[in-house]
Amino acid sequence: MITSELWRGKRFAVLGLARSGAATVAALVASGAQVTAWDGDEVKRNQFLPREPGEGDRSPSANGGGGTTAVVSPSPGPLRLAALATSPAEAGEDLTLADPETIDLTGFDGLIVSPGVPINRHPVAAKARAAGVPITGDIELFAQARAELPPHKVVGITGTNGKSTTTALVHHILQTAGVPSLMGGNIGLPILDQEPLPAGGVYVLELSSYQIDLTFSLDCDVAVLLNITPDHLDRYDGFDAYAAAKARLFAMQSPSHKAIISIADDASAKIARSLSAKGEALTKIAPGFCMDQSRWPQLQGPHNAANALAAINVCESLGVSNADIDRGLESFVGLDHRMQTVAVKHGVAYVNDSKATNPESAAPALGSFERIHWILGGQAKTDSLDPCAPHFGHVVRAYTIGEAGPMFADLLKDRVPVQISGTLDAAVAEAAAQAQAGDTVLLAPVCASFDQFSDFEARGRAFVQAVEALA
């Protein structure tokens, strides 16, 4: 894991103990920090309790599920959390489980929150600010630790859509070229949970606006902006504030470090214009650039042409040869839940694009197939499907699910045949019954998943299971 002497002897509160939060606690404790950690989910809290002589017993000092504080002392045994890879005694400081909302934060050196914590409205944010405690995230901790790592470079990739594919593609091309690299941030393993790269390595980070909000000193050697379209507006005071969050990635850069920006939308173009002083360190990707994608089986469609062009520019700026870039593009296998063909049954293709959580990201999938049985719905981010409208001619029938199902059925009823399926299992079964050989059953939900699933990955896995269950 990545640790730092900067954190030794300091006091941190960590709110949110899913993957990145758990890795943050592990890194801080291993660095000799005193950590107070909390999650509303008791299961996530319990991973930090010490193992008693009877497996599954709690520490004598731990309160039950209704309590808000439990001290993990240096005895009687190692922590359950495998990521710590050390005993509490070796870690030095005690680990305390306590809700930051219920304790005095005076004297803490930082509040580390999960990107999922809405700091624009969560009461703990106001409490931390009142106590003069900085609110940051695990990416900021990585930025602080960089000076102690072997010489390396960092690529930061943001944008509303295409971040994961572009991040994975850059990582794959680097691996193909023999360059040591890791990908993290909003994809893969938490960055603090990974072993430091050797000298000459490249950390490739997918960065959401939430993560950028919690980061203040990440000076990317290469920073990339793919696009900005309306999304996550419940966390921002309007679209301009959301765009400004993306722009902060470049504000943290040294003037000579590379910025690569697609200028296909007005908000991104405006950010590019604001960086004109970077001169040759700024690369603008113009819309409509034609590329031969015939040799890249997992990078089809105009959206993937844009993703590929961004990845090519990144890798060229890192000194990767054109031959290695070509080999990486040709051998890239794509990502689960992103235009993923999971099966072909009776001539019908089943495509999982569960990551398409807004209309702009769903539109490219709708434009990629001729006859589509479209499954959409979930927890709506918008009451408009206008970005998808140019491709409605490809939709044979739509099947709506989840909270947004009735609303989307009403929006579509005069434009395409539509039925309210309610659940994903029902939609897959109904689409399979209607589809003919040559058709595509496409999950491109246009929505968040949280009404029926824990995340978009769980939704994608449920789609795969429903397809596998078909005769």
Side-chain angles (χ1 to χ4, degrees):
M1 73 178 68
I2 292 174
T3 60
S4 174
E5 284 296 314
L6 291 173
W7 309 327
R8 183 171 299 279
K10 292 188 176 181
R11 296 177 66 197
F12 295 94
V14 178
L15 179 60
L17 299 177
R19 288 183 297 180
S20 65
T24 296
V25 171
L28 290 172
V29 171
S31 298
Q34 183 177 348
V35 179
T36 299
W38 190 254
D39 194 291
D41 184 342
E42 185 178 12
V43 173
K44 292 185 174 69
R45 298 197 303 269
N46 284 353
Q47 66 186 315
F48 291 98
L49 295 177
R51 183 179 293 119
E52 295 283 3
E55 176 62 31
D57 291 345
R58 290 183 162 211
S59 162
S61 60
N63 290 331
T68 58
T69 303
V71 177
V72 179
S73 63
S75 62
L79 296 179
R80 286 199 195 114
L81 185 66
L84 281 172
T86 185
S87 72
E90 291 168 340
E93 298 289 343
D94 290 352
L95 170 64
T96 301
L97 297 181
D99 186 344
E101 284 191 68
T102 67
I103 63 174
D104 184 1
L105 293 177
T106 303
F108 276 75
D109 295 285
L111 170 65
I112 315 300
V113 302
S114 162
V117 175
I119 58 173
N120 63 320
R121 60 181 184 272
H122 198 290
V124 77
K127 182 172 183 176
R129 293 185 183 111
V133 178
I135 304 171
T136 62
D138 66 324
I139 300 300
E140 174 59 23
L141 291 180
F142 168 73
Q144 295 173 12
R146 288 184 64 188
E148 299 171 50
L149 300 176
H152 62 274
K153 291 186 176 180
V154 171
V155 176
I157 298 171
T158 194
T160 305
N161 301 309
K163 297 186 298 295
S164 296
T165 295
T166 305
T167 300
L169 180 56
V170 170
H171 173 61
H172 175 73
I173 293 172
L174 292 172
Q175 294 277 296
T176 301
V179 178
S181 65
L182 290 173
M183 66 177 179
N186 206 40
I187 189 173
L189 292 174
I191 192 63
L192 295 179
D193 202 26
Q194 305 195 51
E195 290 302 313
L197 289 168
V202 180
Y203 296 89
V204 188
L205 305 180
E206 176 190 334
L207 299 172
S208 69
S209 58
Y210 301 163
Q211 289 168 311
I212 297 171
D213 287 340
L214 299 168
T215 305
F216 303 93
S217 64
L218 181 68
D219 183 1
C220 293
D221 297 272
V222 185
V224 181
L225 174 61
L226 298 170
N227 47 64
I228 305 178
T229 59
D231 202 3
H232 305 306
L233 297 186
D234 60 320
R235 292 277 291 264
Y236 296 96
D237 185 18
F239 178 74
D240 289 344
Y242 170 59
K246 298 291 189 184
R248 289 191 58 254
L249 183 62
F250 303 95
M252 290 185 280
Q253 275 192 299
S254 298
S256 61
H257 284 176
K258 186 75 172 179
I260 298 170
I261 301 179
S262 172
I263 56 173
D265 61 83
D266 291 342
S268 298
K270 181 178 179 181
I271 292 172
R273 289 194 297 271
S274 74
L275 298 173
S276 58
K278 291 180 76 72
E280 293 183 357
L282 172 64
T283 294
K284 300 176 184 179
I285 300 177
F289 190 88
C290 294
M291 304 180 73
D292 178 11
Q293 297 167 255
S294 62
R295 294 176 292 114
W296 312 337
Q298 299 301 321
L299 292 166
Q300 298 301 297
H303 63 303
N304 275 326
N307 295 338
L309 187 55
I312 290 168
N313 276 277
V314 169
C315 292
E316 286 179 342
S317 72
L318 295 172
V320 180
S321 71
N322 289 333
D324 284 332
I325 291 173
D326 287 342
R327 288 195 300 119
L329 291 166
E330 292 171 11
S331 58
F332 183 61
V333 297
L335 294 171
D336 292 347
H337 316 299
R338 297 161 181 85
M339 294 280 286
Q340 174 196 14
T341 301
V342 300
V344 177
K345 293 193 172 189
H346 308 295
V348 177
Y350 293 83
V351 176
N352 169 21
D353 200 23
S354 183
K355 189 62 168 66
T357 60
N358 56 52
E360 289 80 7
S361 58
L366 292 173
S368 298
F369 308 101
E370 291 301 318
R371 286 177 50 87
I372 297 170
H373 295 262
W374 182 21
I375 300 173
L376 73 159
Q379 190 176 79
K381 295 181 177 182
T382 176
D383 60 0
S384 171
L385 293 173
D386 288 349
C388 299
H391 308 296
F392 283 168
H394 295 182
V395 178
V396 177
R397 180 174 290 271
Y399 310 78
T400 67
I401 64 174
E403 289 178 3
M407 177 183 70
F408 284 158
D410 189 57
L411 288 174
L412 292 170
K413 65 183 181 182
D414 296 326
R415 310 184 75 172
V416 302
V418 61
Q419 62 192 70
I420 300 174
S421 298
T423 67
L424 183 55
D425 285 348
V428 170
E430 291 163 2
Q434 296 274 353
Q436 305 172 7
D439 291 357
T440 298
V441 175
L442 170 68
L443 171 65
V446 190
C447 288
S449 57
F450 304 122
D451 58 332
Q452 295 179 320
F453 302 95
S454 60
D455 52 34
F456 76 88
E457 293 170 323
R459 178 171 59 194
R461 289 192 296 270
F463 177 76
V464 174
Q465 292 167 0
V467 172
E468 289 174 345
L470 296 172

